[in-house]
Amino acid sequence: MILSACALDSSSQKESSAPEKKGNTESTSVKSTEVKEYKATNLAALPEKAKARKDLFIAGISAPGGVFLPYFYENGWDGNVTDPMFAPLVNLDKEGKSVGILAEKWDVSDDQLTYTFHLRKGLKFSDGSPLTADDVAFTLTLLHDPAYAGYQDISLAAIKGGKEYKEGKATSIEGIKVIDKETIEITTEKVNAKSLLLLGGQVLSKAYYGKDYQYGKLDYLKELYPKPLGAGPYKFVKYVAGQEVRYEANENYYAGKPKTKNLIFKVIDTSTSLQLFETGELDYAGFSADDDTVEQLKSLGFANIQVGPVNDFGFIYVNNSRPQFKDKEVRQALIYGLDRQKIVDVKFKGYGEVANVPVSKVSWAYDDEGINKYEFNVEKAKELLDKAGWKVGKDGIREKDGKQFVIRYLTRTAEDPIIPIAKENYQDIGIKFEPEIMDFNALVAKLNDKDYDLAAVSTSQILDPSDPVEEFATNNPNNAAGYSNPKVDELIQKGLNTLDIEKRKGIYHDLYKELNDNPPVILIHYRQSAKAVSGQIQGLNPDNYTGISASLPNISIKK
């Protein structure tokens, strides 16, 4: 539910609306973590508009808001806009493992509390000014300013002295130490597996963004939102609201000037992205996968296509703070009593799977061994509801303590396939199901106020397995489910208290088992997407962690 970058894949913003296929048509769907690739078969079929581009790559983007400064934007598409311009110290590779970008390497102390980053030699921002450890220190200090109210919660890294600086009790942050222009040492007060990415984020120029900095006053930065300066592979040229963001290759990029000189993120309506790709307006686009879309893309001849899993999952919030949902038997019954496979089949038409673990299937932490799959079982659901004291009344609706079991379900679309399926399924086990359609902001407001029974959502892009489960901690302020389980609290913390991936795997497996037995939410689906790249584009390799941003410097156009 966090506003985060959308990996420049319109499939994350667009649900499939293709009609269900009839007859004995062979499905090209994929399962699990398999990625299916279809190579271009006829480059001569390239649209003339695409052929005419010799040094320009165009990708679609939905709705940037014009705040082009990392850590300060509220619109996830603005995050996509900033990625080509602002390089981080550390990023994730296609497997979700850490890899150095501006940092050549880093050391972690034996107690896992001190991080020493070694920057590459000769780093420069796009204007040619030097990028040094002072810029890293400035960036981290800015995030501790009391006026900072952006999405990045740097307090999670627990840098020594950070709290004192934010409270005005210190004029600098004790745990940030610049050793020399290429070395910075950062000391934290607690071990956190996510600290490396928190500390190693995108770097802001102190000379540019810090020249007017005054403690507690960050409004001056608003004038710089539309004039970004970073150290990424591309530099900003112009933004035409509602039309495009234009870039050109950064000759000062540490890895060398990108192969393709010009880059445009074209503002599009996702409902027209397939048409724009077909006519050559776009070189890259992403779609919700279904047989019709995949077959249509294949028929073009000039497209290289990838069909594979998306790094998120869909689920239904259950308001655990309401009396009718406090018993785990009731929540288990809601899962047993809902035909999730039918929902997935209707919604994704062969390009989705039922989710049973709260992490994506592409994550290194995914493990469903020993997990109850909660296969659709009406009799088991009835048995659990009986056990929890919900008895069937005269009108067929279950009652307890004089109250009927009525569920009000919040969703954003009247075409939500969950509505008819859940209505029928839950009626069969004695529960009345009443849907309520509302816009995204209204739904989020009701979740935050815990003013709901059930609500349909999807996670944002999952960078770390802790991301989707942290909110189930009792004291997490974002615990929209109102869930509380001491064992889960302990395992969530343990999962962050070591940097050893193998140890973390075991901890998350134990956590998944506990969340499976005592479920806070109803897990629904994993889904597939289709990504299409014009056949003349070489070097573009979309992945589940950085979208297309990591491969932008390597793009070239076949002559």
Side-chain angles (χ1 to χ4, degrees), residues 130-347:
L131 187 160
T132 71
D134 281 328
D135 298 295
V136 180
F138 164 72
T139 303
L140 294 172
T141 300
L142 194 69
L143 296 178
H144 283 85
D145 192 278
Y148 175 71
Y151 63 84
Q152 184 78 295
D153 186 0
I154 196 63
S155 69
L156 295 174
I159 299 176
K160 188 175 183 180
K163 185 172 181 286
E164 288 76 10
Y165 180 81
K166 185 164 188 170
E167 293 174 349
K169 297 175 182 177
T171 57
S172 62
I173 300 175
E174 182 183 351
I176 299 176
K177 185 178 180 181
V178 174
I179 306 301
D180 56 46
K181 66 179 183 178
E182 292 161 356
T183 314
I184 186 168
E185 181 184 276
I186 303 165
T187 302
T188 66
E189 295 182 318
K190 67 178 182 181
V191 178
N192 187 324
K194 292 164 69 171
S195 287
L196 179 62
L197 290 181
L198 284 167
L199 302 175
Q202 292 162 306
V203 180
L204 306 183
S205 165
K206 182 178 180 180
Y208 186 70
Y209 290 106
K211 62 182 177 182
D212 295 321
Y213 174 60
Q214 295 180 46
Y215 181 82
K217 298 178 181 179
L218 298 182
D219 280 351
Y220 76 95
L221 288 170
K222 291 178 181 178
E223 292 186 14
L224 301 178
Y225 288 171
K227 297 180 282 187
L229 172 71
Y234 282 87
K235 56 186 180 181
F236 182 76
V237 175
K238 69 175 179 179
Y239 168 52
V240 181
Q243 296 184 39
E244 67 180 28
V245 185
R246 188 176 289 267
Y247 311 79
E248 66 179 17
N250 175 14
E251 63 273 15
N252 292 307
Y253 186 52
Y254 83 90
K257 185 178 179 180
K259 296 177 180 178
T260 298
K261 181 181 179 182
N262 299 297
L263 168 68
I264 290 177
F265 284 171
K266 184 181 180 68
V267 179
I268 63 169
D269 179 338
T270 55
S271 65
T272 63
S273 57
L274 182 52
Q275 178 185 346
L276 292 171
F277 183 77
E278 286 180 355
T279 57
E281 299 278 354
L282 300 176
D283 293 306
Y284 168 81
F287 314 91
S288 289
D290 59 63
D291 281 345
D292 287 344
T293 301
V294 174
E295 289 304 321
Q296 192 170 348
L297 290 169
K298 287 168 65 177
S299 71
L300 298 176
F302 65 81
N304 288 317
I305 307 158
Q306 284 185 3
V307 183
V310 179
N311 191 8
D312 63 14
F313 61 88
F315 65 100
I316 298 174
Y317 270 118
V318 180
N319 190 346
N320 289 243
S321 63
R322 293 199 162 166
Q324 64 268 42
F325 304 120
K326 283 189 179 294
D327 293 335
K328 77 174 185 180
E329 287 81 9
V330 171
R331 284 175 268 124
Q332 289 175 341
L334 293 177
I335 305 174
Y336 275 121
L338 184 62
D339 194 342
R340 296 181 296 154
Q341 185 63 59
K342 186 175 181 180
I343 292 169
V344 169
D345 290 344
V346 170
K347 191 167 187 175

Side-chain angles (χ1 to χ4, degrees), residues 25 144 211 373 376 391 405 421 455 530:
T25 305
H144 283 85
K211 62 182 177 182
K373 302 301 194 296
F376 183 48
K391 304 303 180 183
F405 204 142
I421 295 169

